[in-house]
Amino acid sequence: MSNDTSPTIDFEFIADYIAMNNLPNRPLQPSIGYNQEHNIEFNSKNCVEYNVPHYGLSSDKLNQMAELDKQLAQTGHPRSISCQVLVSTQSEFANCDPNCVLGMGPLDPDERIVLYFHGGAYCVGERSLTHMHVFAHISRTTGLRVFSPNYRLAPRHGFPSQLHDCFMAYKHVLSRGFKPQNIVLAGDSAGGALVVGVLLLLRDMKCTSPLAAVLVSPWVDATCSGDSWTRNQQYDYLPALPLTDPFHPTRMFYDAGRKFSPAMLKELQCPLVSPVFGTDLKGMPPMLVQMGRNELLHDDIEKFVAKVKHDNKDGCVRLETYEHMPHVFVLFDFADAAQKAFSSIGSFVREHN
């Protein structure tokens, strides 16, 4: 579709359509795990100010969102999002009362958790229901509870709404009594980029870094510039549209309806949007990155990992490439590669007690 048609598209209608026709949800069977959905209020205690002017327009938008949350909280009408808490029934929680282990507070002062940001091109994944089995497998192999905030979705809510919500969710779990050194940040695809965005904000705001990070097929380049976007087209299920197409996933989550231009391209190269363009990726915690050999994002992820390795101490980041696998292959949990990836996540997390 032509770039010139962008302003004439009804993205509100598209947002409604996406909400009604989300990705298929697999019911979570009691033999796998159980979950409970909670409400997170962004009250005055958790309001933030993003003192990160070097991120340009993204900084400005983040501060506008933070100021609006502050105003809503001060008038007694705090904004809220929901959050899933999930445990595997094949873990140490198997014989526990679900009502006791599915709360938002720590079960003991030093409890470790996984805070997981789901993928879906920032547009799909309503209430994290598409990822319940992924959470259950990660809870099983790590032995930890998994928390997943249901951040606002594009195109109704453009970037950086998602990053702001994830940062606020992290602040919320801290306010509930969890310690940074006991939190593993994890995410797939767009959620992987959100993990890196939160890490950069925490570093730049001189906040304590979380224990570790797990990125599965992270979408680290919203400009989709790597050669693998062409080379792997026949092997991956993702669409490979040109950025000039208003239905390109990037165009959907970033200022939907705006014409593509050189100015937009430059904005997309902000490290909070596309971490691969970061010129300073220092201060990252131990990081596990997993990707499929056949995915469109392959080269972008390799480039990102090389930059993290360059900017941090030896051994900071570990890259695992799974042969013949497409984007976010862990969603296909029946595959041997997915089960190996889950086991590796468990081992990685246990290494960083």
Side-chain angles (χ1 to χ4, degrees), residues 224-259:
C224 308
S225 61
D227 290 342
S228 53
W229 280 89
T230 300
R231 185 179 70 249
N232 285 344
Q233 276 189 37
Q234 61 181 318
Y235 305 118
D236 206 349
Y237 58 85
L238 292 179
L241 302 173
L243 271 175
T244 52
D245 191 313
F247 288 112
H248 187 290
T250 295
R251 301 283 302 284
M252 292 282 284
F253 87 80
Y254 191 89
D255 210 354
R258 175 181 163 194
K259 287 186 179 182

Side-chain angles (χ1 to χ4, degrees), residues 178-332:
F178 291 99
K179 301 172 184 175
Q181 62 269 28
N182 291 330
I183 299 173
V184 177
L185 291 186
D188 64 89
S189 194
L194 290 170
V195 168
V196 182
V198 169
L199 291 174
L200 291 174
L201 291 172
L202 290 171
R203 181 201 66 185
D204 294 349
M205 295 166 68
K206 296 181 170 48
C207 300
T208 304
S209 177
L211 172 67
V214 176
L215 313 180
V216 181
S217 298
W219 190 13
V220 290
D221 182 2
T223 73
C224 308
S225 61
D227 290 342
S228 53
W229 280 89
T230 300
R231 185 179 70 249
N232 285 344
Q233 276 189 37
Q234 61 181 318
Y235 305 118
D236 206 349
Y237 58 85
L238 292 179
L241 302 173
L243 271 175
T244 52
D245 191 313
F247 288 112
H248 187 290
T250 295
R251 301 283 302 284
M252 292 282 284
F253 87 80
Y254 191 89
D255 210 354
R258 175 181 163 194
K259 287 186 179 182
F260 184 70
S261 65
M264 180 184 283
L265 180 62
K266 185 174 182 180
E267 292 167 22
L268 292 173
Q269 293 172 347
C270 168
L272 296 182
V273 187
S274 300
V276 75
F277 292 104
T279 57
D280 179 8
L281 296 176
K282 297 184 182 71
M284 295 293 102
M287 184 179 290
L288 172 65
V289 182
Q290 298 176 327
M291 69 173 178
R293 177 75 68 188
N294 288 354
E295 68 173 284
L296 296 183
L297 285 65
H298 179 281
D299 291 6
D300 301 333
I301 296 170
E302 271 198 336
K303 184 177 179 181
F304 168 75
V305 169
K307 284 195 169 188
V308 175
K309 284 183 176 180
H310 178 270
D311 288 352
N312 294 271
K313 63 182 180 181
D314 290 344
C316 170
V317 61
R318 178 192 307 169
L319 174 63
E320 296 178 349
T321 304
Y322 291 79
E323 296 298 329
H324 312 299
M325 289 295 105
H327 185 60
V328 195
F329 60 94
V330 295
L331 288 171
F332 310 105

Side-chain angles (χ1 to χ4, degrees), residues 14-88:
I14 291 173
D16 290 338
Y17 181 85
I18 290 174
M20 290 186 295
N21 298 274
N22 219 292
L23 293 177
N25 300 326
R26 291 172 57 195
L28 190 63
Q29 301 298 325
S31 60
I32 302 297
Y34 40 86
N35 68 290
Q36 186 169 323
E37 194 166 346
H38 296 267
N39 207 43
I40 296 177
E41 280 194 354
F42 299 146
N43 55 41
S44 299
K45 182 173 65 174
N46 291 331
C47 287
V48 299
E49 181 177 344
Y50 295 102
N51 186 22
V52 287
H54 47 287
Y55 293 120
L57 183 60
S58 290
S59 299
D60 296 340
K61 289 182 178 180
L62 282 170
N63 275 312
Q64 290 168 9
M65 293 173 184
E67 179 60 27
L68 180 57
D69 279 349
K70 182 178 179 181
Q71 293 174 8
L72 291 171
Q74 290 174 341
T75 58
H77 300 89
R79 187 173 66 86
S80 65
I81 62 173
S82 63
C83 180
Q84 301 285 355
V85 178
L86 184 145
V87 295
S88 168

